[in-house]
Amino acid sequence: MRVLGVDPGLTRCGVGVVEGLAGRRAALVAVGVERSDPGAGIDDRLLTIADGLDRWLDAYLPDVVAIERVFAQHNVSTVMGTAQVAGLAMVAAARRGIPVALHTPSEVKAAVTGSGRAGKAQVQHMVAQILGLSEVPRPADAADALALAICHLWRPAGLMDRAELLPNTPAQRAWAAAEQAARRKG
Amino acid sequence: MRVLGVDPGLTRCGVGVVEGLAGRRAALVAVGVERSDPGAGIDDRLLTIADGLDRWLDAYLPDVVAIERVFAQHNVSTVMGTAQVAGLAMVAAARRGIPVALHTPSEVKAAVTGSGRAGKAQVQHMVAQILGLSEVPRPADAADALALAICHLWRPAGLMDRAELLPNTPAQRAWAAAEQAARRKG
């Protein structure tokens, strides 16, 4: 299964492609960042990012697109652009018939580190470890996109689809707790 | 000049096309609402609205697309979808090389009623008056989209482009005050 992770952002939008099977070793396919000029108009900036996302989808043909779930409570000065880029990624996937999954930051942290409250550096370190990379991908947005893709690949299927399948690793249990917390928040 | 107004929304997205010259009589070209099924996935809903907006742009070939400026402070439960639809409208316009203008609700109210604090019913009543319609367009989202288009058509050019041109009607002065207030807010 090939997952394209998107860490949405207007100035820098992280994109990472990871391949693997649920719970197994994951492999890096490609990683990068789409950027738009902060001095340009918002419409041109969104188009630049949309065109970039289209190129990633057409080049890597993922089975799923995993996008960070954006909350209205986040950083107010950037949340509109972030939400809009997330929307563009969803439409780009839907237009190609590719399923979309949204994951919260806590779910992503739990999936790659075992703790929903892990720091950014710890997440990035684990992304490099999991993918067998000698260095942490830069910038942070690129690493975060890979973390999203890994999170989707490693999500405990039982929690989403089958109630009888209980999480059995610390990371899966942490993931489940984070997911339940996010659901309670609504 | 032909302006396509968009009142962004995920469940109902108002769209209205108005033709006219700055400060002169405006004429209705078309008005309607694009809808998405609240029971569908967010990706499919956004695609439905994006496809609808594409059809409006291709059918009516506007000179400008006027979209309501969405603020992060708005209704938290719907602001994400609203912001995402606004983003889709901007990309659809940018893809066709059509300029985009964002107007705040206060600017729209001031443009059509002379007061930036007018009520919804008053705005809708004035939209019908201005366009010479015997009834207020329904639903409210459709009327709001027309108000956005009228607001853009009637914006006091002097305030945007030439400092020496002072607003000279009550509506223009109210518009100017609303615009300045919005700029102060950043």
Side-chain angles (χ1 to χ4, degrees), chain A residues 37-93:
Chain A
D37 175 5
I42 174 76
D43 49 339
D44 288 330
R45 298 185 69 185
L46 289 170
L47 178 59
T48 299
I49 301 286
D51 286 346
L53 292 172
D54 280 343
R55 284 192 298 270
W56 279 88
L57 287 165
D58 291 337
Y60 294 101
L61 307 170
D63 300 303
V64 177
V65 176
I67 307 170
E68 185 176 307
R69 189 186 288 277
V70 183
F71 292 104
Q73 298 90 328
H74 281 191
N75 184 344
V76 167
S77 70
T78 59
V79 71
M80 291 290 109
T82 304
Q84 287 169 338
V85 170
L88 297 179
M90 285 191 254
V91 167

Side-chain angles (χ1 to χ4, degrees), chain B residues 34-49:
Chain B
E34 293 297 322
R35 299 167 193 271
S36 77
D37 175 4
I42 173 77
D43 49 339
D44 288 331
R45 298 185 69 186
L46 289 170
L47 177 59
T48 299
I49 301 286

Side-chain angles (χ1 to χ4, degrees), chain B:
Chain B
M1 178 188 241
R2 180 174 278 197
V3 183
L4 185 143
V6 177
D7 181 35
L10 190 53
T11 300
R12 285 183 310 277
C13 178
V15 190
V17 184
V18 167
E19 209 157 44
L21 293 170
R24 308 279 187 79
R25 176 77 187 264
L28 174 68
V29 177
V31 63
V33 169
E34 293 297 322
R35 299 167 193 271
S36 77
D37 175 4
I42 173 77
D43 49 339
D44 288 331
R45 298 185 69 186
L46 289 170
L47 177 59
T48 299
I49 301 286
D51 286 346
L53 292 172
D54 280 343
R55 282 192 298 271
W56 279 87
L57 287 165
D58 291 337
Y60 294 101
L61 306 169
D63 300 302
V64 177
V65 175
I67 307 170
E68 185 175 308
R69 188 185 288 278
V70 183
F71 292 103
Q73 298 90 326
H74 281 189
N75 185 344
V76 167
S77 70
T78 60
V79 73
M80 291 290 110
T82 304
Q84 287 168 338
V85 170
L88 297 178
M90 285 191 254
V91 167
R95 213 162 246 155
R96 291 164 174 80
I98 302 172
V100 166
L102 302 178
H103 296 294
T104 68
S106 301
E107 287 168 0
V108 174
K109 289 172 185 175
V112 302
T113 73
S115 163
R117 288 187 278 177
K120 279 222 159 242
Q122 195 185 342
V123 170
Q124 289 161 19
H125 173 79
M126 283 307 296
V127 164
Q129 285 285 326
I130 289 165
L131 298 177
L133 310 175
S134 56
E135 283 182 24
V136 171
R138 300 276 176 216
D141 316 79
D144 288 345
L146 291 173
L148 269 153
I150 294 167
C151 169
H152 185 78
L153 215 49
W154 284 11
R155 77 203 182 285
L159 290 175
M160 308 194 98
D161 311 321
R162 284 174 297 161
E164 72 274 19
L165 210 155
L166 290 171
N168 51 16
T169 71
Q172 286 181 339
R173 283 193 293 273
W175 202 100
E179 192 191 45
Q180 280 165 9
R183 282 187 181 169
R184 277 195 301 273
K185 268 194 252 166

